[in-house]
């Protein structure tokens, strides 16, 4: 006979209930993050259907990312106040409804507006789940946050292949209808399993931090508002760079004559590498902290972007896409680790949501910007150079955080 879960004060961080909850978060992230990747795969079909330029065809992705960014903040605030279960369930309904209604769009602008609703719903399975799971772990918080965030990339491995197969038989409109129904009937019941509240935190040490965290996080290098602002800049910059291959790899392969199928395979390969990178980065962050982990990932991402410029052969693109995925996957979840190391725990949902919003704003800006540069130049080469420049800005901000002497403000729990 199943035993009821123990009360929050009887549970402890990193226990078996924490790991079971992490499994649920990973599953929800894998399902819900279809809202980020579906529009990437159907981009060429949408462009042909609505007879628009590449920049206009990129607008639905930008709209989805705007909705995703806003949802991470708004839903994150409610998660801080009332827990994660009900907000995620309601957002799952919004996600599915956005896909279903997209089937009936008659213009690219209508389609873009509905993709904003899709992005808003999908956001509940990323930032809010990352913030929630961070309360359930202390000693293994880095790997737990990274694993929860990996649902986003696991979706990028699974969904492009599934959508590619569905497109061959039904077209993008019917494909979106099936996806919408699937999201509603799976996300709502899974979200309601997340109703238990977080366990009690470990006792605080003399420095005001849980004892499990003292080994890797020292005093904050800046006051909370300044650190939050720097993380916003860093998040935008790294994700403008990150968006170039992730958003346009399918269209890039079509332009080179390799077709949609090859582009979808490269996207899946890229995101499979991202899963490995996220898990490895989470493990590393448990020992060296979030900021140093971001710096390692950002430098590697910049080097991978440079590799796209000289090599555009089919085999080369598969290799470079895998290298890119292995380089950058751990960057975004490491921002959440920085937030939990230095900023107040009671505001984790909102503050993690703000940083995630910045990263998604960077993805939205970069996705549109790369399409705009393509329309101006007729080539993606300049778009890759633009991504490299933004990547260098991210590296500069993280170095500033690391090299700054700690502020006199006490460290956060």
């Amino acid at each position: 006979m199943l035993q009821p879960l123990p009360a929050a004060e009887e549970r402890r961080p990193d226990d078996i209930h924490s790991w079971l909850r992490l499994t649920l978060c990973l599953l929800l992230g894998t399902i819900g993050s279809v809202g980020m990747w579906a529009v990437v795969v159907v981009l060429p079909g949408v462009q042909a259907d609505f007879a628009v330029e590449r920049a206009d065809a990129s607008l639905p992705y930008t709209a989805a990312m705007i909705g995703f960014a806003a949802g991470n903040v708004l839903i994150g605030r409610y998660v801080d106040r009332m827990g994660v279960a009900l907000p995620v369930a309601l957002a799952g309904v919004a996600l599915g409804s956005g896909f279903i209604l997209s089937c009936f769009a008659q213009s690219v602008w209508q389609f873009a507006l509905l993709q904003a609703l899709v992005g808003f719903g999908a956001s509940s399975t990323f930032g809010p789940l990352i913030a929630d799971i961070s309360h359930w772990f202390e000693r293994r918080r880095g790997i737990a946050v990274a694993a929860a965030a990996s649902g986003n990339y696991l979706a990028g491995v699974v969904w492009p292949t599934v959508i590619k197969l569905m497109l061959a038989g039904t077209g993008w409109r019917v494909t979106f209808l099936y996806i919408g129904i699937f999201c509603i009937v799976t996300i709502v019941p899974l979200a309601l399993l997340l109703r238990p509240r977080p366990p009690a935190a470990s006792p605080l040490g003399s420095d005001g931090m849980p004892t499990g965290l003292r080994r890797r996080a020292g005093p904050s290098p800046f006051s909370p508002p300044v650190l939050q602002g720097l993380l916003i800049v860093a998040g935008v910059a790294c994700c403008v760079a990150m968006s170039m291959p992730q958003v346009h790899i399918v269209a890039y392969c079509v332009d080179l004559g390799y077709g949609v199928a090859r582009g979808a395979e490269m996207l899946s390969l890229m995101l499979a590498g991202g899963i490995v990178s996220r898990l490895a980065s989470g493990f590393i962050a448990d020992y060296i902290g979030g900021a140093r982990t971001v710096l390692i990932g950002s430098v590697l991402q910049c080097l991978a972007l440079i590799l796209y410029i000289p090599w555009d052969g089919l085999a080369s693109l598969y290799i470079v896409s895998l290298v890119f995925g292995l380089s950058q996957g751990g960057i975004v979840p490491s921002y959440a680790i920085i937030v939990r190391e230095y900023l107040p725990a009671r505001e984790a949902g909102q503050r993690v949501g703000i940083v995630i919003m910045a990263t998604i704003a960077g993805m939205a800006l970069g996705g549109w910007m790369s399409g705009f540069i393509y329309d101006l130049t007729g080539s993606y080469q300049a778009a890759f150079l633009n991504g490299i420049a933004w990547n260098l800005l991210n590296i500069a901000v993280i170095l500033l955080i690391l090299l700054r002497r700690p502020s006199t403000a006490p460290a956060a729990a």
Side-chain angles (χ1 to χ4, degrees):
M1 185 174 181
L2 292 176
Q3 298 296 320
L5 287 174
E9 60 271 14
E10 299 174 355
R11 299 192 301 269
R12 291 294 179 264
D14 301 88
D15 67 7
I16 183 62
H17 304 291
S18 302
W19 291 102
L20 290 174
R21 191 178 186 89
L22 175 58
T23 302
L24 276 176
C25 290
L26 179 60
L27 182 57
L28 278 165
T30 303
I31 297 171
S33 291
V34 65
M36 288 190 66
W37 305 113
V39 70
V40 176
V41 180
V42 303
L43 189 152
V46 169
Q47 181 179 3
D49 198 354
F50 295 123
V52 294
E53 297 292 332
R54 181 65 52 82
D56 289 338
S58 301
L59 284 175
Y61 177 83
T62 300
M65 293 302 96
I66 291 172
F68 195 90
N72 272 283
V73 177
L74 296 176
I75 297 173
R77 293 186 66 181
Y78 282 101
V79 167
D80 284 336
R81 298 174 183 176
M82 59 187 297
V84 74
L86 183 59
V88 172
L90 294 176
V93 175
L95 169 64
S97 300
F99 272 114
I100 293 169
L101 293 173
S102 293
C103 304
F104 306 101
Q106 298 301 308
S107 71
V108 72
W109 299 103
Q110 291 177 8
F111 183 70
L113 182 62
L114 290 167
Q115 288 306 295
L117 178 62
V118 166
F120 183 87
S123 70
S124 68
T125 62
F126 192 60
L129 292 184
I130 290 174
D132 174 76
I133 204 65
S134 74
H135 292 291
W136 290 72
F137 289 84
E138 285 180 3
R139 294 185 179 279
R140 293 291 177 263
R141 180 174 290 165
I143 190 65
V145 166
S150 294
N152 176 262
Y153 273 8
L154 187 57
V157 174
V158 174
W159 281 109
T161 301
V162 172
I163 293 171
K164 178 185 68 176
L165 296 174
M166 295 175 70
L167 286 174
T170 63
W172 71 265
R173 292 180 185 271
V174 178
T175 297
F176 271 34
L177 174 64
Y178 291 157
I179 292 172
I181 295 171
F182 179 78
C183 287
I184 292 174
V185 301
T186 55
I187 291 177
V188 173
L190 288 172
L192 295 179
L193 294 176
L194 299 177
R195 284 175 293 178
R197 304 293 290 182
S202 296
L204 300 182
S206 60
D207 55 3
M209 297 188 67
T211 54
L213 297 183
R214 226 186 294 125
R215 60 194 172 96
R216 68 175 179 269
S220 175
F222 292 97
S223 66
V226 173
L227 181 59
Q228 182 88 67
L230 288 172
L231 292 177
I232 289 172
V233 174
V236 170
C238 79
C239 287
V240 169
M242 193 182 298
S243 69
M244 174 55 238
Q246 286 189 1
V247 178
H248 289 272
I249 189 65
V250 176
Y252 186 41
C253 286
V254 170
D255 289 347
L256 292 173
Y258 302 135
V260 173
R262 302 288 81 77
E265 289 169 358
M266 288 179 200
L267 179 61
S268 294
L269 185 63
M270 182 188 303
L271 299 177
I275 295 171
V276 176
S277 176
R278 285 197 167 172
L279 295 175
S281 295
F283 180 81
I284 292 169
D286 279 331
Y287 292 92
I288 68 173
R292 291 182 178 87
T293 306
V294 170
L295 180 62
I296 292 171
S298 187
V299 170
L300 293 175
Q301 175 179 269
C302 190
L303 294 174
L305 278 172
I306 293 172
L307 295 178
Y308 274 105
I309 296 176
W311 291 314
D312 60 3
L314 183 60
S316 298
L317 283 175
Y318 276 109
I319 295 171
V320 174
S321 295
L322 176 60
V323 171
F324 183 82
L326 291 171
S327 301
Q328 53 76 41
I331 297 175
V332 172
S334 294
Y335 291 129
I337 297 170
I338 297 173
V339 169
R340 287 309 319 276
E341 286 175 342
Y342 296 123
L343 298 174
R346 65 183 180 277
E347 301 171 359
Q350 181 176 346
R351 289 190 178 275
V352 169
I354 290 172
V355 177
I356 297 298
M357 179 184 69
T359 65
I360 300 305
M363 294 291 290
L365 175 61
W368 171 83
M369 189 181 295
S370 295
F372 180 73
I373 292 173
Y374 175 90
D375 287 339
L376 286 178
T377 65
S379 168
Y380 277 120
Q381 297 300 302
F384 282 118
L385 292 172
N386 177 67
I388 291 168
W390 284 89
N391 206 140
L392 293 172
L393 172 61
N394 173 263
I395 292 172
V397 172
I398 299 302
L399 282 173
L400 177 63
I401 293 174
L402 286 171
L403 297 177
R404 164 84 176 191
R405 294 181 62 186
S407 70
T408 57

